[in-house]
Amino acid sequence: MKIKSILVKSIAVAAMSVTGLVVANNAGSQTAQAAIVQNDAHVVTVNYVSDNSITVYNNYENPVATGQTLASNTSWKVIKTAYDSKGHKWYDLGKNQWIRAEYVTAGYVAANNATAKSTTTVSQAPAAQTQSQAATTSAKSYTSNATGSEASAKAWIASRESGGSYSASNGQYVGKYQLSSSYLNGDYSAANQERVADQYVQSRYGSWTAAKSFWQANGWY
């Protein structure tokens, strides 16, 4: 991806450098560059906005609306963090689906009667549990309703993600289905891993067979 640069006044450059933009000297003047930076959020929640939704764009440098919108109080996985040449922070939700950071809050925020609009490829995160709910889940068993081809697809993904181990970990990703630790809300029990995995796949793909097809095409789900 080509990086677009613009000349700005030295005082603006100083402000941008604090937010993580790349700054360079160029013939005695300052040049601020748009840049992808270290990801600072793994899940974000859309803030309440007047029209109850925010716009999704195709990139952060020269953004064009994709036609998708995200409803207030819905939570979404974040793949990348970036700043544009004007110092605005953006989040990539995967497949170059970008949103402005000013309209979201890092982490989960309890929903207030919001209904998410339909999207095609943005991956929605399952709703967070409260601590009491997590404790209740860990104390109970959970039986997945995946059977037949669904159970087969679920086992296939678990094998690729962790070798089928509930104790596997890779950075922020935990367990048999390599779920974000924030999804599990501190409850890493087998029952909770199975429950949250089913919830995530249902909300994201609609079925484990669809999730498997996506994994085969993209190497992740």
Side-chain angles (χ1 to χ4, degrees), residues 32-136:
Q33 297 178 332
I36 292 176
V37 298
Q38 183 175 356
N39 197 17
D40 64 1
H42 299 295
V43 176
V44 294
T45 299
V46 179
N47 296 331
Y48 175 80
V49 287
S50 59
D51 61 357
N52 290 320
S53 65
I54 62 173
T55 301
V56 178
Y57 296 90
N58 63 347
N59 68 73
Y60 68 95
E61 294 180 271
N62 297 292
V64 175
T66 65
Q68 293 173 300
T69 58
L70 306 183
S72 294
N73 298 312
T74 54
S75 296
W76 304 88
K77 293 172 63 177
V78 174
I79 307 301
K80 298 174 185 175
T81 301
Y83 286 88
D84 63 25
S85 55
K86 295 181 180 179
H88 299 134
K89 184 192 289 186
W90 294 76
Y91 289 122
D92 181 10
L93 307 183
K95 295 295 182 182
N96 288 319
Q97 296 171 104
W98 294 86
I99 57 174
R100 285 277 293 272
E102 65 185 278
Y103 300 124
V104 299
T105 300
Y108 290 108
V109 177
N112 293 313
N113 300 320
T115 303
K117 295 184 179 181
S118 177
T119 59
T120 55
T121 56
V122 175
S123 52
Q124 183 173 8
Q129 289 180 294
T130 63
Q131 291 294 338
S132 61
Q133 288 174 321
T136 300

Side-chain angles (χ1 to χ4, degrees), residues 42 63 83 89 124 128 134 137 160 172 175 177 183 200 205 221:
H42 299 295
Y83 286 88
K89 184 192 289 186
Q124 183 173 8
T137 300
R160 295 319 189 269
Q172 64 154 327
Y177 303 98
Y183 286 13
Y200 166 69
Y205 301 100
Y221 79 114

Side-chain angles (χ1 to χ4, degrees), residues 84-213:
D84 63 25
S85 55
K86 295 181 180 179
H88 299 134
K89 184 192 289 186
W90 294 76
Y91 289 122
D92 181 10
L93 307 183
K95 295 295 182 182
N96 288 319
Q97 296 171 104
W98 294 86
I99 57 174
R100 285 277 293 272
E102 65 185 278
Y103 300 124
V104 299
T105 300
Y108 290 108
V109 177
N112 293 313
N113 300 320
T115 303
K117 295 184 179 181
S118 177
T119 59
T120 55
T121 56
V122 175
S123 52
Q124 183 173 8
Q129 289 180 294
T130 63
Q131 291 294 338
S132 61
Q133 288 174 321
T136 300
T137 300
S138 64
K140 296 181 179 179
S141 62
Y142 172 81
T143 301
S144 174
N145 59 7
T147 59
S149 60
E150 282 292 283
S152 177
K154 185 177 182 179
W156 185 93
I157 287 178
S159 176
R160 295 319 189 269
E161 291 290 321
S162 68
S165 172
Y166 287 114
S167 60
S169 63
N170 180 19
Q172 64 154 327
Y173 299 104
V174 177
K176 187 174 181 179
Y177 303 98
Q178 290 294 280
L179 301 166
S180 172
S181 57
S182 60
Y183 286 13
L184 296 169
N185 202 32
D187 182 355
Y188 301 149
S189 65
N192 196 44
Q193 288 186 39
E194 294 290 339
R195 184 194 66 79
V196 175
D198 281 343
Q199 181 183 21
Y200 166 69
V201 165
Q202 180 61 39
S203 65
R204 168 71 169 95
Y205 301 100
S207 70
W208 281 100
T209 52
K212 177 181 177 181
S213 295

